[in-house]
Amino acid sequence: MKRATEKPSKPRAKAQKGSPERREPREAPGAPAAPATPAGAQESPAVVAFLRELDHPRKEAIVALRHIILGVSPAIREEIKWNAPSFRTTEHFATFNLRAKDRVRLILHLGAKVKDTAAKGLEIADPAGLLEWLAKDRCLVTFSDGEDVQAKQAALESVLRAWLRWL
């Protein structure tokens, strides 16, 4: 029985029966294999497990985006924060928003604490028009599917490199 004070649940990876060591990632028939982890990237076992259990129609695009982000710099680390894969160097700078099922959203930010840049804003070159600014120091990047991720990969890598300079 739920208590009246409990908060509504957030989207989570669905648990499967059996021990984690025996489970394999679920892939759609005919889906391409996940790309190898970029050289120098620090994979998090928690993120690997989260993605293995994730039940999301755009999972292929999520995995592809994760590899792109990790490939931008060997200083990038990943973890689960805010119930989704999140990426950091000295501060967290990118976090997936997995609530939408028809697209993949990536929030770019400058950590959890407000900084001077919140008032001044960031100057990020965005010739491809990827960024939807939510605040002066926070934006949203949206992808429709895996093909969209591939098409925008170079532009996203450029935006991420510029974003990291602000950390």
Side-chain angles (χ1 to χ4, degrees):
M1 178 176 213
K2 255 189 172 180
R3 287 191 239 157
T5 58
E6 288 183 20
K7 294 181 180 178
S9 64
K10 294 180 182 174
R12 295 186 183 270
K14 289 187 179 179
Q16 292 179 346
K17 293 181 182 179
S19 67
E21 299 80 37
R22 295 182 189 162
R23 285 185 247 147
E24 295 295 323
R26 285 185 265 150
E27 295 177 1
T37 303
Q42 294 293 314
E43 263 195 356
S44 162
V47 174
V48 171
F50 180 91
L51 291 174
R52 182 183 310 124
E53 302 299 326
L54 182 65
D55 182 20
H56 194 286
R58 302 290 188 251
K59 184 174 180 176
E60 179 185 328
I62 294 164
V63 170
L65 274 170
R66 172 182 174 247
H67 283 90
I68 290 168
I69 295 165
L70 290 173
V72 168
S73 168
I76 295 173
R77 302 294 180 260
E78 64 180 352
E79 62 188 63
I80 299 297
K81 192 160 182 82
W82 301 297
N83 196 36
S86 187
F87 304 89
R88 66 177 172 80
T89 55
T90 56
E91 296 268 353
H92 283 90
F93 68 89
T95 303
F96 280 106
N97 176 320
L98 302 176
R99 291 186 185 114
K101 298 296 182 190
D102 62 337
R103 60 192 173 274
V104 177
R105 297 160 144 185
L106 184 66
I107 306 290
L108 299 181
H109 52 89
L110 295 175
K113 295 182 181 180
V114 177
K115 297 180 178 51
D116 290 341
T117 50
K120 294 185 248 175
L122 301 178
E123 292 182 27
I124 303 287
D126 181 24
L130 296 181
L131 306 179
E132 177 186 334
W133 289 93
L134 305 172
K136 291 183 178 185
D137 63 346
R138 179 174 306 266
C139 64
L140 176 68
V141 185
T142 304
F143 300 90
S144 57
D145 56 25
E147 289 178 12
D148 194 29
V149 170
Q150 279 185 322
K152 297 175 180 174
Q153 179 174 348
L156 177 64
E157 289 170 340
S158 176
V159 164
L160 290 172
R161 285 186 188 97
W163 198 273
L164 290 174
R165 288 192 280 268
W166 288 94
L167 294 178

